[in-house]
Amino acid sequence: QVTLRESGPALVKATQTLTLTCNFSGFSLTSSGMSVTWIRQPPGKALEWLALVDGKGFRHYTDSLGTRLTISRDTSENQVVFTMTKVDPADTATYYCARVVGESHYFDYWGQGILVTVSS
Amino acid sequence: QSALTQPPSVSGSPGQSVTIPCTGSTSDFINYRRVSWYQQPPGTAPKLLIFEVTNRPSGVPDRFSGSASGNTASLTISGLQTEDEAVYYCISYIGANFHFGGGTKLTVL
């Protein structure tokens, strides 16, 4: 059974660094074609893709947030860690991690999400 | 990032069918079958409904189907049920980038 669960702070102050962890089970990130991604959703708004890491360590980030993002994986601990520097109230959102599979890169399993509020 | 265009809302009555279009600037995402659909009921995480244009994961009812023509992918929901009320998103992966639709809110009247 594949599961993913996000953890991290519910409240972060503006200009600080946000660190979120995705703990997953039921699959290995080193398996062929597997990746883990982070996606966020501001309250009442659409989904927005943020970052992806695969089992070989390849990392890919959205252009819009540039160098503020870092994603890393610990394959032995079945964890993916996501950081966002210099947060702003506009970064308030529910953050989801999801498993990415296939050449078409679809998201077949999602975590429940974690709401992160950035205070000014 | 919303390089895919969806209508903001659609509606239908129980038992009817509705179709949600997802239009791209090119047909690449369809030609390479790199489009998927997700359902997000209020207050919950998105759930995969359709992948690679037409494929349904196990457990998804066959009332949900995907199709494509030209540069538009479509999600059709037949035999509408009240629990189908949700926001539906299309997502593609082309040019090593993800492209998200803005979401379509389905109201079951």
Side-chain angles (χ1 to χ4, degrees):
Chain A
Q1 182 187 4
V2 173
T3 63
L4 301 99
R5 175 167 287 189
E6 305 86 352
S7 61
L11 185 63
V12 182
K13 292 183 179 179
T15 75
Q16 290 185 337
T17 294
L18 168 66
T19 299
L20 298 173
T21 300
C22 176
N23 287 285
F24 59 87
S25 63
F27 69 99
S28 171
L29 196 49
T30 58
S31 297
S32 176
M34 295 286 176
S35 305
V36 171
T37 194
W38 284 90
I39 294 161
R40 71 178 179 181
Q41 185 173 38
K45 295 188 177 180
L47 301 169
E48 177 186 18
W49 177 71
L50 298 172
L52 172 148
V53 64
D54 70 13
K56 297 180 180 178
F58 168 79
R59 308 174 191 185
H60 189 198
Y61 301 99
T62 179
D63 291 339
S64 62
L65 293 173
T67 57
R68 293 179 55 205
L69 306 183
T70 303
I71 190 171
S72 62
R73 89 244 192 260
D74 182 336
T75 54
S76 61
E77 296 294 328
N78 283 354
Q79 280 186 347
V80 170
V81 177
F82 171 83
T83 62
M84 177 184 291
T85 61
K86 301 175 184 176
V87 296
D88 179 88
D91 296 314
T92 293
T94 296
Y95 287 76
Y96 296 99
C97 63
R99 188 176 80 162
V100 187
V101 296
E103 191 173 327
S104 62
H105 283 61
Y106 57 94
F107 313 130
D108 63 344
Y109 288 93
W110 296 63
Q112 62 188 15
I114 181 170
L115 175 60
V116 178
T117 300
V118 180
S119 65
S120 56
Chain B
Q1 197 177 76
S2 288
L4 300 177
T5 301
Q6 298 180 237
S9 64
V10 297
S11 63
S13 300
Q16 288 186 332
S17 294
V18 294
T19 296
I20 300 173
C22 168
T23 301
S25 56
T26 73
S27 59
D28 285 351
F29 72 116
I30 292 173
N31 294 338
Y32 291 100
R33 301 188 65 80
R34 293 182 178 182
V35 61
S36 50
W37 288 92
Y38 303 81
Q39 176 194 58
Q40 187 178 33
T44 69
K47 169 191 168 185
L48 176 66
L49 282 182
I50 298 287
F51 64 97
E52 294 171 354
V53 181
T54 59
N55 297 323
R56 230 181 2 259
S58 60
V60 172
D62 60 6
R63 302 187 296 106
F64 296 90
S65 62
S67 62
S69 178
N71 61 339
T72 298
S74 297
L75 172 71
T76 298
I77 309 169
S78 58
L80 272 178
Q81 301 179 1
T82 55
E83 57 260 39
D84 296 333
E85 277 212 347
V87 179
Y88 293 83
Y89 293 92
C90 59
I91 299 175
S92 73
Y93 181 74
I94 288 293
N97 276 302
F98 290 97
H99 306 279
F100 282 45
T104 299
K105 179 175 173 55
L106 168 64
T107 301
V108 181
L109 303 168

